[in-house]
Amino acid sequence: MTSQVSSPAEQADGTDGSDAAVVGEQRKPGGTKDVRRLDRVIIRFAGDSGDGMQLTGDRFTSETASFGNDLSTLPNFPAEIRAPAGTLPGVSSFQLHFADHDILTPGDAPNVLVAMNPAALKANIEDVPRGAEIIVNTDEFTKRAMQKVGYAASPLEDGSLDGYQIHPVPLTTLTVEALKDFDLTRKEAERSKNMFALGLLSWMYHRPTEGTEKFLKSKFAKKPDIAAANIAAFRAGWNFGETTEDFAVSYEVAPAAKAFPVGTYRNISGNLALSYGLVSASRQADLPLFLGSYPITPASDILHELSKHKNFGVRTFQAEDEIAGIGAALGAAFGGSLAVTTTSGPGVALKSETIGLAVSLELPLLVIDIQRGGPSTGLPTKTEQADLLQAMFGRNGEAPVPIVAPRTPADCFDAALEAARIALMYRTPVMLLSDGYLANGSEPWRIPELDELPDLTVQFAQGPNHTLEDGSEVFWPYKRDPQTLARPWAVPGTPGLEHRIGGIEKQDGTGNISYDPANHDFMVRTRQAKIDGIDVPDVEVDDPHEARTLVLGWGSTYGPITAAVRRLRAAGEPIAQAHLRHLNPFPKNLGAVLQRYDKVVIPEMNLGQLATLIRARYLVDAHSYNQVNGMPFKAEQLASALKEAIDG
């Protein structure tokens, strides 16, 4: 047995980069194949839209989570329901980064690429570093399939892949052969080739298999023959790895025992975490949860998930359009529910008038925007952070709205609770800005104990709250709490609490219609003061070396920024980091934090929207570093940009 331990610099660089460090190697007892221990691995499954790459990646992820590794994923798929088979626009991929230590991103470049056809190889080969392993389904490399994507000659034979470790595997043929005893057509048998590939990768990386077999039995419970065929293909792939001479080495990545605090964990995506956060918020507030929504990528999964939880008092309404969805939600808020509407950027535009109405009515309403590439229809399945200014200013008149942004998939749970806290306490609509990267990505999540959740209990108005000069007691719907400036929440049907609603300006206190200029000025300023006065935690700064450069981020840039900062610090570069959850209002100490640094760099997946707000508010010459290509930042890319900022 030999052992090789990476240097500290390699270990730090290996946090979220492309090269996995070898930490040990041994012979399997009684066997002939080597087992090599790695600290982390990045795998990308790529194939046609119909090849089941998302399912394959999801199953490998689930088994990796159950094994105890830290992980981060990046699903990437076309917007078309079924793009033309074998074409570059039709390629679907799933990248998984898993490790024996704390990681933050899906990784910059894969150590292993599984290419199910020529299109998958061509679409992804530029991301694969030299020396990486490529498993190729040779059955799909026909002359016609290669010509379709521009290969004049087979890349498996022309020497263009000589710098890689190529594993040519006839996946389709092997799958059909493994299922020859099943009563399936050849086309039906070929559909299981993704399970053969999953079995092979499960062998290569010592992944558990029981969970996948249980999943297949459940998924195809009404078609036991199909379930049995998929399980057989999965086992055949595992056995192929065990017996073939082409795979002389398998790999072990130990559980990330030191990366997690003690607790019960599960793998969770951002949209699922957000859904659970909404349900938890409704239970902590002791209010029914109402979702009024219209399906839109990438927010639809929240509607799908919440519709499963009627047992928790959740009511979901799939409306005919975006406007009807938020209108129903605002009506539910008026009726005393924790009201939510979900959408993406195009839907926020349609909902803007009703968000303004919610500002005027001063009712709690959660508007969840899972951002995607725009403008207009844009890139429905790609990620972007370009709705910040729309969330801040995208309404007529002065209509301020608090904005909250989660930083990781698991953090979507806590962000949902925080958005609900603000909405309920201050009687205001709240915008929650997630994005496609967080929504579809996944990571381990520690399931919180009930006593860790905040108390969101709400007190509804029960009777008169104001005494007139003649001594009579009345209910004033716009008489405010002196601490929060929130107005009372009166549930319809409560005797004596009848009051007028609508979009026309309210008279202070009484809520009657008012066209008085002085009253309008007062109400506008009061609504702004209410938002400005929201109690949010101070921004925390990670600065162990008294750096002169601060990198400031928000939302899903947290993982790539933190990974880049780790790289720079490992190389001896002093750099500070801060990340914003609250974007309106900003934390009260943010101005003082910014003034401490000579340089402030703000990476964003837009053209500088937070930087614009920071410059305007604090008169700080913040430097933008921007990307709007539909994909998250890479750690190496950010580290290079931040190094230039430090040296500049």
Side-chain angles (χ1 to χ4, degrees):
M1 181 203 293
T2 62
S3 177
Q4 178 181 349
V5 180
S6 58
S7 69
E10 287 174 324
Q11 291 174 339
D13 183 65
T15 300
D16 285 272
S18 59
D19 299 323
V22 178
V23 295
E25 191 171 325
Q26 63 183 21
R27 291 276 181 181
K28 288 183 64 176
T32 59
K33 294 193 175 185
D34 292 334
V35 178
R36 194 168 298 167
R37 290 190 291 116
L38 305 175
D39 63 351
R40 60 186 188 79
V41 173
I42 303 167
I43 298 175
R44 184 182 297 178
F45 298 93
D48 201 61
S49 292
D51 285 339
M53 294 296 93
Q54 302 305 317
L55 175 63
T56 305
D58 184 68
R59 287 314 315 159
F60 196 94
T61 299
S62 295
E63 298 299 348
T64 297
S66 70
F67 187 73
N69 295 119
D70 195 10
L71 62 89
S72 180
T73 68
L74 178 62
N76 186 16
F77 42 88
E80 291 81 2
I81 293 175
R82 186 67 175 90
T87 64
L88 293 174
V91 173
S92 174
S93 68
F94 188 105
Q95 184 161 305
L96 165 68
H97 182 190
F98 61 101
D100 65 2
H101 57 275
D102 172 38
I103 58 173
L104 300 153
T105 76
D108 286 358
N111 308 116
V112 182
L113 171 66
V114 180
M116 302 296 281
N117 60 17
L121 178 65
K122 188 160 191 177
N124 291 279
I125 190 64
E126 290 187 3
D127 292 338
V128 183
R130 295 283 174 169
E133 295 188 83
I134 302 177
I135 299 172
V136 182
N137 180 14
T138 55
D139 288 328
E140 296 297 320
F141 278 71
T142 63
K143 183 176 181 180
R144 182 171 179 229
M146 289 187 290
Q147 288 178 342
K148 191 180 290 188
V149 296
Y151 280 129
S154 173
L156 305 181
E157 300 172 356
D158 65 3
S160 60
L161 300 178
D162 286 351
Y164 305 93
Q165 299 180 55
I166 305 297
H167 300 283
V169 181
L171 286 172
T172 306
T173 300
L174 291 171
T175 303
V176 171
E177 176 65 22
L179 303 184
K180 64 182 180 180
D181 295 333
F182 289 83
D183 186 20
L184 300 173
T185 66
R186 180 178 176 85
K187 188 173 183 179
E188 289 172 334
E190 287 178 359
R191 290 175 184 162
S192 296
K193 63 181 180 289
N194 64 322
M195 288 297 106
F196 188 101
L198 178 60
L200 173 58
L201 269 294
S202 297
W203 172 83
M204 282 183 66
Y205 291 97
H206 297 246
R207 298 298 91 183
T209 60
E210 296 81 3
T212 293
E213 294 193 9
K214 183 178 179 181
F215 166 82
L216 291 170
K217 290 177 182 177
S218 174
K219 181 176 177 63
F220 299 107
K222 295 182 180 180
K223 298 179 180 179
D225 291 344
I226 299 297
N230 277 283
I231 292 172
F234 176 67
R235 292 175 176 174
W238 196 96
N239 291 328
F240 177 77
E242 178 73 7
T243 57
T244 185
E245 294 182 2
D246 191 43
F247 292 92
V249 178
S250 64
Y251 303 92
E252 286 184 347
V253 180
K258 297 181 180 179
F260 305 120
V262 175
T264 302
Y265 287 80
R266 59 157 294 165
N267 184 50
I268 201 164
S269 68
N271 274 351
L272 184 58
L274 214 161
S275 300
Y276 288 174
L278 294 172
V279 174
S280 299
S282 75
R283 304 306 294 171
Q284 293 302 105
D286 195 23
L287 297 175
L289 178 65
F290 179 89
L291 173 67
S293 185
Y294 179 76
I296 183 171
T297 301
S300 299
D301 285 342
I302 302 171
L303 172 61
H304 301 158
E305 182 61 32
L306 290 180
S307 67
K308 303 174 184 178
H309 297 292
K310 296 182 179 68
N311 56 314
F312 287 116
V314 178
R315 288 172 289 179
T316 53
F317 170 59
Q318 181 174 320
E320 65 269 27
D321 56 38
E322 295 281 5
I323 299 171
I326 191 173
L330 185 56
F334 178 64
S337 292
L338 176 58
V340 185
T341 189
T342 53
T343 188
S344 190
V348 173
L350 293 168
K351 296 177 188 292
S352 62
E353 183 182 7
T354 307
I355 298 173
L357 177 59
V359 171
S360 176
L361 296 181
E362 301 189 45
L363 287 171
L365 173 67
L366 302 186
V367 181
I368 295 173
D369 176 7
I370 312 297
Q371 301 166 96
R372 72 189 203 190
S376 189
T377 304
L379 305 172
T381 60
K382 309 303 180 184
T383 196
E384 204 164 273
Q385 286 184 299
D387 294 348
L388 176 56
L389 294 184
Q390 180 178 218
M392 281 289 292
F393 305 119
R395 293 162 295 283
N396 63 296
E398 296 288 346
V401 169
I403 303 172
V404 173
R407 60 177 61 182
T408 69
D411 188 48
C412 289
F413 178 87
D414 295 317
L417 285 165
E418 175 63 0
R421 177 191 74 87
I422 293 172
L424 295 172
M425 179 177 292
Y426 295 90
R427 310 285 197 265
T428 177
V430 176
M431 295 281 292
L432 188 152
L433 297 183
S434 179
D435 60 42
Y437 171 38
L438 296 184
N440 296 316
S442 61
E443 67 176 349
W445 172 58
R446 187 182 70 84
I447 301 172
E449 300 295 334
L450 286 177
D451 59 7
E452 296 174 353
L453 300 180
D455 181 3
L456 303 178
T457 305
V458 174
Q459 295 295 327
F460 291 115
Q462 299 297 325
N465 63 355
H466 186 74
T467 303
L468 299 176
E469 292 182 1
D470 62 5
S472 58
E473 295 185 337
V474 296
F475 175 66
W476 275 14
Y478 281 82
K479 185 168 184 176
R480 302 179 182 278
D481 181 293
Q483 298 298 319
T484 64
L485 299 182
R487 78 175 187 90
W489 194 0
V491 176
T494 307
L497 302 191
E498 298 84 1
H499 61 282
R500 186 188 301 271
I501 63 170
I504 297 178
E505 183 62 280
K506 313 294 183 294
Q507 184 181 57
D508 178 42
T510 68
N512 295 329
I513 291 174
S514 174
Y515 296 98
D516 177 61
N519 178 78
H520 177 58
D521 183 273
F522 178 80
M523 293 295 281
V524 166
R525 294 179 186 277
T526 300
R527 287 189 290 260
Q528 182 65 58
K530 180 172 69 169
I531 304 307
D532 292 341
I534 291 174
D535 183 24
V536 303
D538 284 347
V539 63
E540 296 181 358
V541 182
D542 177 16
D543 185 3
H545 303 110
E546 296 185 0
R548 298 176 63 185
T549 300
L550 171 72
V551 54
L552 179 68
W554 71 277
S556 65
T557 57
Y558 173 77
I561 289 174
T562 307
V565 167
R566 287 182 179 180
R567 287 187 177 204
L568 290 171
R569 289 178 181 170
E573 299 288 347
I575 187 167
Q577 178 187 2
H579 208 79
L580 294 174
R581 161 169 284 175
H582 297 90
L583 298 158
N584 192 32
F586 286 130
K588 291 181 174 56
N589 71 328
L590 180 57
V593 166
L594 297 173
Q595 293 296 333
R596 296 208 306 258
Y597 295 92
D598 296 340
K599 297 178 184 177
V600 177
V601 183
I602 304 179
E604 298 181 79
M605 292 187 293
N606 56 48
L607 294 182
Q609 297 189 15
L610 176 61
T612 297
L613 297 175
I614 292 295
R615 290 190 188 108
R617 176 71 180 273
Y618 300 105
L619 303 181
V620 170
D621 185 21
H623 301 271
S624 286
Y625 183 74
N626 308 116
Q627 172 177 295
V628 280
N629 61 7
M631 298 295 288
F633 284 111
K634 293 182 178 180
E636 182 179 5
Q637 164 196 2
L638 268 183
S640 297
L642 295 176
K643 179 67 166 63
E644 290 181 9
I646 294 172
D647 295 340

